[in-house]
Amino acid sequence: MGITLKAVDIENKDVLYNLYQYYQYDFSPYSEEDLGLEGRFEIDLEHYWEDPRWNPFLIWSEKRIIGFLIILFENFDTDPDPTHVIYDFLILSKYRRRGLGKLAAVQAFNLYRANWKVVQMKTNVPSIHFWRDVVNHYTAGQYTEVFREDLNKYVQSFTNRNFDSY
């Protein structure tokens, strides 16, 4: 199975809004967020199409949407060379543990030669294991990891600027 990342334009924003319901559900054990009174998670994503720092992508495998990812150009408003951050990432549960998430992450990293960060909540142990594995393999171990007490999150940082090829 191959992976394709497709930018989400404003005409397809409803697809991303729908996928975010699954994301919020999946993430709720860690975020402790509850449903709104209408039985849906309350989400506002409009800034994704109003602010050039935000870059949403759908993850496709064959002819099916299997998830999404968001790349944030951190401090792009003040720094012409921003750090790129995987901000949100979802692979639908039926497609997990097949290597598709790893393929999607690698494709995302390969979109930009930049300094990168990936961040996980301390309580989200599956995410920590996933991202450590992905970043370690992608960088051949050439990354740093810190635990940010102030955020209660792990942060892996690396650059792919010096990679010879993708």
Side-chain angles (χ1 to χ4, degrees):
M1 287 184 139
I3 290 293
T4 305
L5 301 181
K6 294 183 183 177
V8 182
D9 56 27
I10 198 161
E11 291 80 25
N12 294 313
K13 71 180 183 179
D14 289 343
V15 175
L16 190 61
Y17 268 97
N18 292 338
L19 286 169
Y20 256 96
Q21 290 298 312
Y22 297 109
Y23 177 78
Q24 293 297 100
Y25 169 78
D26 232 21
F27 202 60
S28 65
Y30 312 108
S31 69
E32 298 183 12
E33 188 170 340
D34 289 315
L35 291 171
L37 297 176
E38 296 178 359
R40 297 176 53 84
F41 291 97
E42 296 175 15
I43 302 164
D44 180 8
L45 305 177
E46 294 305 307
H47 59 283
Y48 287 174
W49 298 277
E50 297 166 355
D51 183 338
R53 294 177 299 166
W54 297 97
N55 301 277
F57 294 89
L58 295 177
I59 302 169
W60 291 77
S61 180
E62 298 175 358
K63 295 182 180 182
R64 292 185 175 85
I65 297 170
I66 66 162
F68 71 87
L69 62 85
I70 310 299
I71 300 173
L72 168 63
F73 296 167
E74 189 176 64
N75 299 324
F76 186 55
D77 50 341
T78 60
D79 185 349
D81 185 21
T83 296
H84 292 45
V85 180
I86 300 288
Y87 189 79
D88 286 336
F89 186 88
L90 171 74
I91 298 293
L92 296 173
S93 58
K94 80 180 254 181
Y95 296 103
R96 293 179 188 165
R97 301 198 179 281
R98 299 182 188 184
L100 300 174
K102 187 174 187 176
L103 288 174
V106 166
Q107 277 198 24
F109 297 148
N110 287 346
L111 289 174
Y112 308 98
R113 288 186 182 246
N115 295 321
W116 283 90
K117 281 197 273 186
V118 185
V119 182
Q120 311 89 46
M121 295 175 74
K122 179 182 178 180
T123 56
N124 191 345
V125 175
S127 179
I128 294 166
H129 289 299
F130 172 79
W131 286 109
R132 280 180 179 159
D133 180 59
V134 169
V135 171
N136 184 54
H137 281 91
Y138 184 74
T139 66
Q142 299 300 306
Y143 71 99
T144 61
E145 179 177 291
V146 296
F147 179 71
R148 295 270 314 262
E149 291 280 345
D150 58 327
L151 301 174
N152 206 27
K153 294 181 179 182
Y154 287 93
V155 180
Q156 294 85 29
S157 302
F158 67 93
T159 186
N160 64 359
R161 291 173 187 260
N162 54 354
F163 284 18
D164 290 330
S165 64
Y166 295 117

